[in-house]
Amino acid sequence: MTKAVRREVGEVLTAGQRSKRRGQDARPGIRGRLRRRNQPQLRLPRFRRRIARVIGAAGLTTVLLLTAWIGADIDPAVAAPERIQPSLDEPNATTTSEADGLWYFTETQLADIHASGITGQGVTIAIIDSPINLEVADLADADIRPRTEEVCPGFTGIEISERARHGTAMASLIVGNGKGVGAEPGVLGVAPDATILHYAVLNVAVDECAAPLADLVADAIEQGADILNLSISYNSPMDAQNAIDLALEAGLVVNVAVQNESSDSLDLLSGLPGVVSVENVDQDGQPDAYSVTGDGLDFIAPGVGIRMLKTDFSGYELDHGTSPATAWVSGVFALAQSAWPDATGNQLIQAAIRSTRTFDVDALPRTDSEGFGFLDPSTFLSTDPTQFPDANPLLDSGETPATDSAVEEHPTDPDDLTGAERPWLTLVSLAAGFLAATGLYVVILLRRRRRHRYWQE
């Protein structure tokens, strides 16, 4: 056998082996090879596979982008500190003597209000915060109902670890009994007989609780919440908006802490229309080291030099931040709801914006640095909220009621939104780009196939 023949036989055998490996019938001989070579229609399946691969790749990429976007902007990343943060400036806490840090209670005549029989009885406040330590003396006999496990099965949100300090402190400021640790006086609650629904999402891992904020709010509504306390910051736009929409539609008063950093605008959660945004001040009405101003600010409240439990719950210290200021406001709203049980949440807000130190039948003037001013409990409780419309006045113009000063509405036109406020536009643009690229590639392949067919003919 000549070398040329052996080479030809070897090529044929190799082709046959390749064909068998592909699950096809081997076509030995040169005629089989020529038959395949002279059948241009056999290119069609290969062309279709190529189109399918292109479309499949683009579709898979779009699905992955959707999944990533949903995970980033809907599910609250409870383990990521940039998404949920306490509105409490904990690093600057200082040790106090036994009688310090109770000015939020003594200088706002809360003792007299309690003595009159108004203690928050019959009002339910939902607190979405860190885990809570129910073993502290200040919360003994308080009506606190843990609800975390209802939305995050297997995780109660009840513990005695350091990460429970923030949630425990907020609950104490609202329903604390003042029993204290050892010989030290404790934290006195603004509305000690109110009911607390507790949800732990701050400082917890995703595998413990990763429920969207809207799910927590929905559960609170089902449990009869009247007030929602959010002493946290939040950075998931769609979930935040869904949660606040649910709460406002159900008639809840939503109190939100502004961020603990100087800014001339409010952060995502406290800047949403309809919520009651709160900045903290000291006994002289001055803010702490951080000052938040803006047309969305509603009230200033006690939040500097506040008596709070230490991280290890062994005693007390002075602390400051917008977290305690917001908890204080929630307690005051609970007192007002208790005093005027027929008033709606919207009517309570109507009365509140007319009750900062002095009462005016018209909404009091507001400023970007103090909102409507320091909410005065005595004036607030003496004002019958049912005389006002059942409409949230903070929805009128992006956050705050119209006053003599110009109030800029929050942007609603997509062209006016910032990137953080329009994540859906980014998603649509990416999806459209992938679909356009896929379509262009398909057109090119079709044109190439058409030219190939004409050449064969």
Side-chain angles (χ1 to χ4, degrees), residues 55-70 427-428 430-436 438:
I55 295 175
L60 178 60
T61 304
T62 303
V63 170
L64 290 175
L65 283 173
L66 279 168
T67 303
W69 180 78
I70 291 172
L427 177 65
V428 171
L430 287 173
F434 273 103
L435 291 175
T438 302

Side-chain angles (χ1 to χ4, degrees), residues 138-162:
D138 288 338
L139 294 181
D141 301 323
D143 186 5
I144 299 178
R145 304 175 186 180
R147 296 292 304 172
T148 308
E149 195 167 19
E150 301 302 319
V151 290
C152 297
F155 180 63
T156 64
I158 303 172
E159 54 189 64
I160 60 174
S161 67
E162 293 183 358

Side-chain angles (χ1 to χ4, degrees), residues 52-405:
R53 284 197 297 269
V54 172
I55 295 175
L60 178 60
T61 304
T62 303
V63 170
L64 290 175
L65 283 173
L66 279 168
T67 303
W69 180 78
I70 291 172
D73 289 318
I74 296 181
D75 289 342
V78 293
E82 68 274 12
R83 300 288 299 278
I84 302 180
Q85 289 285 353
S87 295
L88 175 67
D89 197 11
E90 295 184 279
N92 295 315
T94 55
T95 303
T96 70
S97 61
E98 292 183 355
D100 287 340
L102 294 174
W103 72 270
Y104 69 90
F105 187 93
T106 58
E107 295 191 17
T108 56
Q109 292 75 50
L110 288 178
D112 293 338
I113 292 173
H114 292 173
S116 71
I118 302 174
T119 59
Q121 181 72 40
V123 181
T124 301
I125 304 173
I127 297 179
I128 297 178
D129 213 283
S130 78
I132 190 171
N133 181 356
L134 295 179
E135 296 183 12
V136 298
D138 288 338
L139 294 181
D141 301 323
D143 186 5
I144 299 178
R145 304 175 186 180
R147 296 292 304 172
T148 308
E149 195 167 19
E150 301 302 319
V151 290
C152 297
F155 180 63
T156 64
I158 303 172
E159 54 189 64
I160 60 174
S161 67
E162 293 183 358
R163 67 176 183 170
R165 191 254 187 173
H166 192 272
T168 306
M170 297 308 104
S172 298
L173 284 169
I174 297 175
V175 296
N177 55 34
K179 288 184 178 180
V181 177
E184 295 186 67
V187 177
L188 295 169
V190 178
D193 290 332
T195 297
I196 297 292
L197 302 175
H198 174 262
Y199 301 87
V201 297
L202 176 65
N203 299 334
V204 304
V206 174
D207 59 355
E208 291 175 311
C209 186
L213 187 62
D215 287 0
L216 309 179
V217 173
D219 184 80
I221 293 171
E222 291 177 0
Q223 297 303 309
D226 302 294
I227 299 165
L228 178 60
N229 186 89
L230 297 172
S231 292
I232 58 175
S233 62
Y234 198 69
N235 200 27
S236 181
M238 182 175 290
D239 185 27
Q241 187 67 68
N242 289 340
I244 298 305
D245 286 346
L246 281 174
L248 296 180
E249 289 172 5
L252 275 65
V253 175
V254 182
N255 299 314
V256 184
V258 303
Q259 66 269 32
N260 274 315
E261 57 184 21
S262 296
S263 176
D264 58 1
S265 62
L266 279 64
D267 62 2
L268 170 67
L269 196 57
S270 62
L272 289 175
V275 307
V276 177
S277 57
V278 184
E279 169 67 296
N280 64 324
V281 294
D282 61 17
Q283 292 167 273
D284 299 321
Q286 300 300 312
D288 58 13
Y290 307 110
S291 177
V292 176
T293 61
D295 60 16
L297 183 62
D298 297 318
F299 295 105
I300 54 175
V304 180
I306 304 300
R307 189 175 189 80
M308 297 175 66
L309 282 161
K310 293 180 178 179
T311 303
D312 61 1
F313 308 108
S314 63
Y316 300 89
E317 59 191 4
L318 290 185
D319 215 332
H320 63 276
T322 57
S323 283
T326 304
W328 185 89
V329 168
S330 292
V332 172
F333 267 95
L335 295 177
Q337 182 75 79
S338 180
W340 303 97
D342 294 332
T344 66
N346 291 334
Q347 290 174 325
L348 289 174
I349 298 175
Q350 294 274 10
I353 64 176
R354 296 166 167 84
S355 303
T356 50
R357 294 299 185 191
T358 58
F359 173 75
D360 194 318
V361 69
D362 297 319
L364 295 171
R366 67 164 304 282
T367 66
D368 287 350
S369 59
E370 294 185 349
F372 293 97
F374 191 101
L375 184 60
D376 182 61
S378 296
T379 304
F380 188 15
L381 268 61
S382 64
T383 304
D384 182 0
T386 62
Q387 64 184 296
F388 304 116
D390 184 11
N392 188 327
L394 307 182
L395 285 171
D396 287 349
S397 56
E399 253 284 323
T400 55
T403 62
D404 294 336
S405 60

